[in-house]
Amino acid sequence: MSLNKKNHELKNELSAANINIKVVMNVLMATDIRTAISWCKRNGVFIFKIGKEKYVNKIELELCIDKPFIESLKVKYPENWKEVYCALKSGDYLTILDKDLQKVTANKKFIAPGKSGNKFIKNIISKKD
């Protein structure tokens, strides 16, 4: 009885770390397993077999799906994109809102280089008055 329990626990651990290719097919909204396999190969997600079934690593698949989103976070939050990504994954919207407010309140002073830049700034200031 103890042996069956250990096998069951091991099977649960494996299924938690790996995803069946049929599930990947549903996640990608593909109509055919071959389409899911092709997508995995194009995006560098390693496919392996356990018995007759094909699997992928859950973390590798999630990272591949989130990669474009991570790239957009790097552009939007270059200093703290990791914090924002972790907050989004955990559902901590207050942290994200705080980062957005910090971004808005951070005033950056425009400095125009050279004589022509200084002349341009003076013209703009004189037109305001």
Side-chain angles (χ1 to χ4, degrees), residues 67-118:
K67 198 172 194 176
F69 179 61
I70 292 170
E71 294 300 323
S72 72
L73 287 178
K74 286 181 180 180
V75 171
K76 192 172 180 181
Y77 304 97
E79 285 86 32
N80 52 6
W81 65 269
K82 290 178 188 176
E83 294 172 32
V84 174
Y85 179 71
C86 291
L88 282 167
K89 290 297 267 188
S90 66
D92 185 8
Y93 298 112
L94 293 176
T95 301
I96 300 162
L97 183 62
D98 184 43
K99 298 297 180 192
D100 277 341
L101 290 175
Q102 286 176 359
K103 189 176 178 182
V104 170
T105 57
N107 292 332
K108 294 183 179 178
K109 184 178 178 182
F110 176 74
I111 299 172
K115 291 181 183 179
S116 60
N118 288 333

Side-chain angles (χ1 to χ4, degrees), residues 44-71:
V45 177
F46 180 69
I47 301 169
F48 57 94
K49 286 178 89 173
I50 299 177
K52 293 182 179 181
E53 296 291 324
K54 293 182 180 182
Y55 293 89
V56 298
N57 183 277
K58 181 180 179 180
I59 295 170
E60 187 178 15
L61 179 69
E62 287 178 355
L63 180 62
C64 189
I65 291 171
D66 284 355
K67 198 172 194 176
F69 179 61
I70 292 170
E71 294 300 323

